[in-house]
Amino acid sequence: MIIGVVDTGIMPDHPSFHDEGMPPPPARWKGKCEFYSRSSCNNKLIGARYFHESGNGTPLDENGHGTHTSSIAAGNFVNGANVLGMANGTASGMAPLAHVAMYKVCSSIGCPETDVLAAIDAAIKDGVDVLSISISSKFNQFWSGVIAEGGFTAMQKGILVSCSAGNTGPLPGTVNNLDPWLFTVGASTTDRKLRATVRLGDGKEIYGESGFQPKDYSETMLPLDVRNVSDAFCSAESLENIDVKGKIVLCVSDGNTSRIGKGHYVKNAGGAGMILVNDELHGFTVSAEPHVVPAAHVSYTDGLKIISYMNSTSNPLATFLFRGTIFEDDFAREVASFSGRGPNRASPGILKPDIVAPGVNILAAWPTKSTLNIASGTSMSCPHVSGIATLVKCTHPDWSPAAIKSAIMTTADLDEKSDLFATGAGHVNPSRASDPGLIYDIKHEDYVQYLCGLKYPNKAAYMSILRKVNCLSKIAEAELNYPLFSTGLG
């Protein structure tokens, strides 16, 4: 099986892409290795191509994103994987014995549409089985996006296309990649936490997370500093005239400065630590990032508790208790706040996202000396499903992309407390997906009739599927044989 990844490139000598135990690529493979040295490819990374608008003239990863997503989908086994000594264990992708082909279309200038469409065309001709595209198409209409156009052609050729639901949640109608022939994946949490606890001066303990946990931290109580919380963005300017030397600084996890960047400004101002507090919109989703100062990222609700304590005393104090890797989150598989939500703007009768998968604090390959890194986003959840779809297709090689989608969606785990516009079919359950029972299959002609049933003009339908459509035959949204549907109640 071959997974094509459309992304920022790949680091070919990363341990996740060693080819021990890998067979050679199948005879149908027609791809290329466009690194300066063809020996950079092997039986795991069988192909790597770049497209002319995207950066440095090589498939080499420029920012880590493509290396990360590729290893989540199909990284080989890596022993002793960890981030700064935490989350230690053996890492692998969802389909660790699948081949990987990278199609670099993104760089610091973005992901030009011409390159994305060219990459999808190349992957189809090269012979991939599954396409993993952790890029969000934000168009409200089907015919406007190259992922939809290229994805339709791929689907016709029997290639499943997995895409990100986008990171603009949690407001309604923020889901991207809306087309029913795409597999749209939202992000959820896992039960692994890199626990960083805040102990307040009154003895209360607040759980947070951090990817940097100094082993020799003294746990001595330090002054806790904050100004007006609405202004606590911890930018260089906001800390200029504030005395935070030797103090733990409370910062709002929002604004124009990244969370790690806020830590740099706190450190440069002489701060001894940082508590990152979510705003209300981002609620309970916290990140375990490698901060440059002792830190903890806490939820909005827990942030209010800390602020309440600070308002109750003239001498607020706090310290950190770093506890490393913990597996005990009773609320695990929560949908991430950033994960794009339905309803589907272009076709309200088709529920999107299709499914959710792990996408918060995911440990995977990175093109740096540390070799692994933690990152969050629907970019991370998409390749989980790409790899799982590859396993299902390996078990059922005669199944269509729609049948594989159906199998994964109808076997998902559903939490009764969840909002269906956030979870779609539920949380992916890989072990059940290969034996789903009933299958909802769809042929490409059905999608054409569905598009016509949306009362799109013929030209719009043509732009979506790149061939002439006369729309003599139409079906309503509810008649498309899709595993999910929604209906508006008047």
Side-chain angles (χ1 to χ4, degrees):
M1 306 301 292
I2 304 168
I3 301 178
V5 183
V6 179
D7 215 297
T8 67
I10 195 166
M11 180 62 70
D13 57 356
H14 192 279
S16 290
F17 309 117
H18 71 79
D19 65 352
E20 181 180 347
M22 292 293 303
R28 72 176 186 279
W29 174 244
K30 298 181 177 63
K32 300 177 182 178
C33 184
E34 295 180 339
F35 287 111
Y36 296 134
S37 171
R38 290 189 179 181
S39 62
S40 295
C41 293
N42 56 24
N43 286 338
K44 162 56 77 173
L45 179 60
I46 61 173
R49 303 181 67 171
Y50 71 92
F51 294 83
H52 73 281
E53 295 285 347
S54 301
N56 54 11
T58 167
L60 198 65
D61 195 356
E62 293 182 64
N63 70 6
H65 191 276
T67 300
H68 204 263
T69 57
S70 300
S71 68
I72 293 170
N76 214 328
F77 296 96
V78 178
N79 296 323
N82 67 85
V83 56
L84 301 179
M86 292 178 290
N88 193 47
T90 299
S92 81
M94 296 295 99
L97 296 182
H99 304 288
V100 174
M102 170 54 66
Y103 299 85
K104 179 179 177 180
V105 300
C106 301
S107 67
S108 58
I109 64 171
C111 309
E113 288 189 334
T114 51
D115 283 359
V116 174
L117 195 55
I120 295 173
D121 282 346
I124 294 170
K125 294 174 184 176
D126 289 346
V128 305
D129 295 289
V130 169
L131 267 171
S132 187
I133 307 179
S134 290
I135 301 171
S136 293
S137 178
K138 300 180 180 180
F139 299 105
N140 291 348
Q141 302 293 347
F142 294 149
W143 65 83
S144 303
V146 294
I147 295 176
E149 294 167 359
F152 193 92
T153 303
M155 175 272 299
Q156 287 181 291
K157 301 293 185 180
I159 300 168
L160 182 141
V161 182
S162 175
C163 297
S164 301
N167 299 331
T168 54
L171 296 178
T174 50
V175 63
N176 297 323
N177 292 316
L178 307 171
D179 315 85
W181 51 87
L182 303 177
F183 206 165
T184 308
V185 187
S188 59
T189 65
T190 72
D191 67 348
R192 181 182 66 199
K193 304 295 177 187
L194 304 187
R195 178 64 54 76
T197 301
V198 178
R199 177 179 284 169
L200 301 175
D202 61 0
K204 288 190 177 71
E205 294 186 356
I206 305 293
Y207 291 154
E209 291 199 64
S210 176
F212 168 60
Q213 302 197 8
K215 295 180 180 179
D216 56 351
Y217 192 73
S218 69
E219 300 184 4
T220 301
M221 286 286 178
L222 297 172
L224 183 56
D225 183 87
V226 68
R227 292 148 292 118
N228 185 332
V229 176
S230 63
D231 297 326
F233 293 121
C234 294
S235 63
E237 295 79 13
S238 67
L239 293 173
E240 270 184 356
N241 301 315
I242 307 294
D243 179 16
V244 297
K245 291 180 180 178
K247 299 178 182 179
I248 294 174
V249 183
L250 188 144
C251 302
V252 174
S253 177
D254 199 6
N256 295 325
T257 306
S258 70
R259 290 181 292 268
I260 292 177
K262 293 175 191 289
H264 279 282
Y265 293 135
V266 168
K267 182 179 180 179
N268 292 341
M274 173 178 66
I275 300 174
L276 282 164
V277 176
N278 273 351
D279 61 11
E280 186 172 7
L281 192 65
H282 293 93
F284 291 92
T285 301
V286 300
S287 299
E289 294 169 309
H291 298 287
V292 298
V293 292
H297 185 183
V298 304
S299 71
Y300 171 73
T301 301
D302 286 332
L304 293 180
K305 295 176 184 177
I306 295 172
I307 294 168
S308 176
Y309 158 71
M310 295 176 70
N311 291 335
S312 70
T313 176
S314 59
N315 184 32
L317 302 171
T319 189
F320 298 109
L321 311 177
F322 294 113
R323 296 296 182 251
T325 311
I326 303 292
F327 293 91
E328 57 175 39
D329 182 12
D330 294 335
F331 298 100
R333 301 199 302 185
E334 289 181 316
V335 179
S337 62
F338 56 76
S339 185
R341 265 63 164 181
N344 183 336
R345 299 179 300 256
S347 180
I350 300 294
L351 186 59
K352 287 281 181 170
D354 291 309
I355 204 162
V356 291
V360 179
N361 297 330
I362 303 303
L363 177 64
W366 203 256
T368 60
K369 290 181 181 179
S370 61
T371 72
L372 294 124
N373 190 26
I374 281 180
S376 299
T378 54
S379 286
M380 286 71 242
S381 55
C382 165
H384 277 87
V385 170
S386 305
I388 294 165
T390 303
L391 298 178
V392 176
K393 186 166 186 174
C394 190
T395 305
H396 301 282
D398 57 330
W399 280 8
S400 70
I404 295 170
K405 270 184 68 174
S406 172
I408 295 172
M409 291 167 67
T410 60
T411 56
D413 296 327
L414 191 60
D415 182 351
E416 293 179 2
K417 298 179 182 178
S418 298
D419 179 348
L420 295 175
F421 285 127
T423 65
H427 193 283
V428 65
N429 186 328
S431 62
R432 295 175 55 193
S434 63
D435 187 19
L438 179 68
I439 288 288
Y440 295 89
D441 204 357
I442 306 174
K443 298 178 181 179
H444 64 87
E445 293 89 352
D446 301 329
Y447 291 118
V448 176
Q449 294 177 1
Y450 154 79
L451 285 170
C452 292
L454 291 177
K455 299 180 181 179
Y456 283 5
N458 290 9
K459 182 179 178 182
Y462 168 79
M463 288 298 294
S464 183
I465 62 178
L466 302 181
R467 65 179 174 86
K468 290 183 178 180
V469 178
N470 58 25
C471 283
L472 294 177
S473 179
K474 304 176 183 180
I475 61 173
E477 288 173 297
E479 294 178 280
L480 186 66
N481 200 35
Y482 206 71
L484 291 178
F485 69 92
S486 60
T487 184
L489 302 179

